[in-house]
Amino acid sequence: MATIRDVAKLANVSTATVSRVINSNGYVNDETKKRVKDAIQQLNYLPNDVARSLFKGRSKMIALFVPDITNPFFPELARAVEDVTNQYDYTFVLCNTDNDIEKQMDYLNALQQKSVDGFIIVSSTIKKEHLQHIQVPIVALDRIISSDISSVTVNNRSGSRQVVQYLKSIGCQRIAHVAGPEHVDNAIYRMRGYLDEVKEEAWFNSSYVVSGKYNFDAAREAAMALLSELPEVDGIFAGNDLMGAGVLNAAASLGKNVPGDLAVAGFDGIAIGETLTPTLTTMAQPIYEIGAKAAEILMTHIQSLEHHVTAKEYSVKLIERQSTMKGGF
Amino acid sequence: MATIRDVAKLANVSTATVSRVINSNGYVNDETKKRVKDAIQQLNYLPNDVARSLFKGRSKMIALFVPDITNPFFPELARAVEDVTNQYDYTFVLCNTDNDIEKQMDYLNALQQKSVDGFIIVSSTIKKEHLQHIQVPIVALDRIISSDISSVTVNNRSGSRQVVQYLKSIGCQRIAHVAGPEHVDNAIYRMRGYLDEVKEEAWFNSSYVVSGKYNFDAAREAAMALLSELPEVDGIFAGNDLMGAGVLNAAASLGKNVPGDLAVAGFDGIAIGETLTPTLTTMAQPIYEIGAKAAEILMTHIQSLEHHVTAKEYSVKLIERQSTMKGGF
DNA sequence: GTGAAAGCGCTAACAC
DNA sequence: GTGTTAGCGCTTTCAC
């Protein structure tokens, strides 16, 4: 690989001049500029980013922490972040954390040693204290970390209320909830939204809420038990789509017709909802948008070196599909 | 951030000694080693990886190119690669290429400027010529680039033959194929495997093969047309699971019972196959394993600086599910 | 308008 | 065993 010195030599100038040319910085005579550009071309010269990073103390890299990229909610988020990252000529580092605090701390350190310029973090275990030693901007995504860290989220609670209202509106009389993990804030908001709408109902009691841990299998099991125990349930709001799929599968196994006997709605709006049979009604997040927004905010923080906290909350939107279309399916 | 000089000063030694301690390199008196370690602790010192990279010309980063992480085949692959990467104390860079050759070239250049130590590439557009200027090891994954580049793949052709044989064995008389894109080598192998098994059949003609482009919607449309035109089809081998899901959906729309009227099998073994109704029979790749293997091979190449080409082919395995279980479902 | 030189933080000869 | 020193390739004052 050619270096700046090779270029300088070939163009008969100093390295400073070459640097000025490649960075369009300071005055350079048009004549010499051309000589330098020719030399660059001829040598196929590309500046060494590592040397630049060392000098500048910044690397033009940002990192995204997700619990697990194989969870179908995250790829779209990652895609959005990568697209924006790339658009700003930054490099995108992906870290699967499994929500393990130690793993996250290791990543934070390792990446700081690499002068990573910022972090976008989806985590339900990282707290403000864990980030005290981080010198670069951070944006929390999907889940809030603390009020002094910028965040991008959705209206989980009111969105969930809307789902339940919708289920009522199509005629459901007994609506159960398959909830996400208790230690994940958005799962709690979704459950609260559900409770807001049902806690005053005469029929309601706590056995209408079961735990599905945000995954397919657990939700399937939970729904099997729930539907056996409370056969009068005619509507289920699953805290995410993956659990919604589990509920559909459980219903099929029990010979329950969806949506005839049972209406099912999920939350998130991930792509697989459309591939299921019946297709799954869901309260959709603008997943790509929130990912892209988080990246944009991070870029703003990085470039201004200013830390004005912004907390953006997007609205979710109901997408009606076969799993609740009592008339049409 | 403290530097090696701060540590040296505090411990009353030279930077060379500190370097020896942090790299467990060369002889250092136990006494002074302790002093250095204390100083490191006290200052919370972490070596600057950028400076190291500049000196060494290597960055301890590797990059994975995938067409699009939102395609459900890739997250598991990415997860595997990241796990291995992390285990070797490397940093993982993810690039969505959309199979766009220009984007891929840009990434290659940008990452070379960052001294990335190696690439794992899933691409149907990159050819050997595009990689001529790359100085670091490359491993091709899922799709072969050229015979002198290490690769990890599966037996697409014989695996596909097995799927068709299996469909015959459960009684299918007219088996159609929804094929992937013509410019993707593994899609071609899968189609050939299918043809190997049916081209001598009296009933066979080319209208039994339709194109589904490896995606849900195209496959759904193709299957709708196919099933309308050739109602005698009682078995479909879809070139991947995403298209298998499309076929299932099409069948449901047409009121065809799966597996009663029509058996459906896919290829890949991605997780959503289990969430469908009926669940989808598939010829499963060991996705995580092949991703991990590719990463291991890359690490070997990186560490030995030797370029012994290895081409590993894994075997796929049939997973029988409801979409073909004529008896049980 | 251009060049000389210092320095980003580290490692590895090479001395002693 | 430990220190001195010369870079890795770049950017940026500060001269001229």
Side-chain angles (χ1 to χ4, degrees), chain A residues 18-328:
Chain A
V18 178
S19 176
R20 287 186 188 105
V21 172
I22 52 187
N23 297 298
S24 327
N25 224 344
Y27 289 93
V28 182
N29 184 305
D30 282 358
E31 177 68 26
T32 51
K33 188 182 291 179
K34 184 179 178 332
R35 273 212 324 279
V36 170
K37 287 193 165 169
D38 288 350
I40 287 175
Q41 192 101 61
Q42 202 175 321
L43 295 172
N44 243 303
Y45 168 73
L46 289 177
N48 181 325
D49 261 342
V50 179
R52 279 184 169 169
S53 294
L54 178 57
F55 183 87
K56 301 232 181 193
R58 324 152 109 272
S59 64
K60 294 205 128 202
M61 300 196 297
I62 66 126
L64 171 68
F65 285 18
V66 295
D68 182 1
I69 193 68
T70 65
N71 179 320
F73 178 69
F74 297 116
E76 197 175 340
L77 218 51
R79 171 78 209 216
V81 173
E82 206 257 328
D83 282 351
V84 174
T85 301
N86 192 30
Q87 194 180 301
Y88 281 82
D89 277 315
Y90 275 62
T91 294
F92 173 74
V93 174
L94 178 70
C95 306
N96 293 291
T97 66
D98 296 319
N99 260 319
D100 176 329
I101 199 68
E102 209 167 321
K103 233 177 143 181
Q104 292 174 93
M105 297 309 282
D106 287 349
Y107 276 125
L108 285 171
N109 285 329
L111 293 170
Q112 263 213 319
Q113 291 182 254
K114 288 196 163 353
S115 297
V116 160
D117 295 343
F119 295 95
I120 297 177
I121 296 181
V122 181
S123 173
S124 42
T125 48
I126 280 201
K127 304 296 166 221
K128 191 179 164 176
E129 306 85 79
H130 299 119
L131 302 172
Q132 229 72 68
H133 65 297
I134 303 301
Q135 316 281 352
V136 296
I138 295 169
V139 176
L141 179 52
D142 184 50
R143 307 164 195 191
I144 287 174
I145 294 176
S146 100
S147 62
D148 56 358
I149 292 176
S150 290
S151 61
V152 181
T153 54
V154 298
N155 59 335
N156 287 291
R157 187 166 183 167
S158 64
S160 297
R161 294 187 65 155
Q162 288 168 46
V163 176
V164 180
Q165 286 163 7
Y166 164 73
L167 288 173
K168 286 179 175 173
S169 80
I170 61 168
C172 295
Q173 308 274 350
R174 298 282 189 280
I175 301 170
H177 179 51
V178 180
E182 296 80 16
H183 57 88
V184 176
D185 66 2
N186 55 33
I188 295 172
Y189 295 140
R190 292 175 197 178
M191 183 174 66
R192 289 202 186 130
Y194 162 79
L195 292 173
D196 289 343
E197 292 297 321
V198 301
K199 64 171 186 291
E200 306 295 351
E201 301 284 347
W203 53 263
F204 179 73
N205 68 60
S206 65
S207 55
Y208 280 86
V209 179
V210 296
S211 170
K213 301 178 182 167
Y214 270 173
N215 75 58
F216 179 85
D217 290 322
R220 186 179 184 285
E221 296 311 313
M224 293 286 270
L226 175 83
L227 291 171
S228 310
E229 212 172 310
L230 300 171
E232 72 274 22
V233 166
D234 58 359
I236 293 186
F237 165 42
N240 73 3
D241 289 342
L242 218 47
M243 297 195 296
V247 172
L248 290 183
N249 191 292
S253 296
L254 295 172
K256 286 238 180 200
N257 181 277
V258 177
D261 307 330
L262 176 73
V264 179
F267 201 110
D268 279 351
I270 60 178
I272 73 168
E274 286 181 281
T275 68
L276 300 171
T277 312
T279 55
L280 182 66
T281 291
T282 186
M283 188 54 82
Q285 303 193 40
I287 305 180
Y288 190 93
E289 264 180 277
I290 65 175
K293 184 66 179 181
E296 293 285 359
I297 291 176
L298 185 63
M299 285 300 159
T300 309
H301 285 180
I302 289 173
Q303 306 200 329
S304 66
L305 291 171
E306 152 223 336
H307 216 81
H308 179 66
V309 176
T310 62
K312 173 87 181 165
E313 186 178 272
Y314 279 82
S315 289
V316 292
K317 211 178 92 191
L318 186 74
I319 299 182
E320 225 179 326
R321 299 211 188 92
Q322 295 165 342
S323 66
T324 57
M325 294 173 68
K326 302 222 180 215

Side-chain angles (χ1 to χ4, degrees), chain B residues 118-131:
Chain B
F119 296 94
I120 296 177
I121 297 182
V122 181
S123 173
S124 41
T125 48
I126 280 202
K127 304 297 167 222
K128 189 178 163 176
E129 307 84 80
H130 299 119
L131 302 172

Side-chain angles (χ1 to χ4, degrees), chain B residues 155 159 162 282-286 315-320:
Chain B
N155 58 332
Q162 288 167 46
T282 186
M283 188 53 82
Q285 303 194 40
S315 288
V316 292
K317 212 179 92 192
L318 186 76
I319 298 182
E320 224 178 326

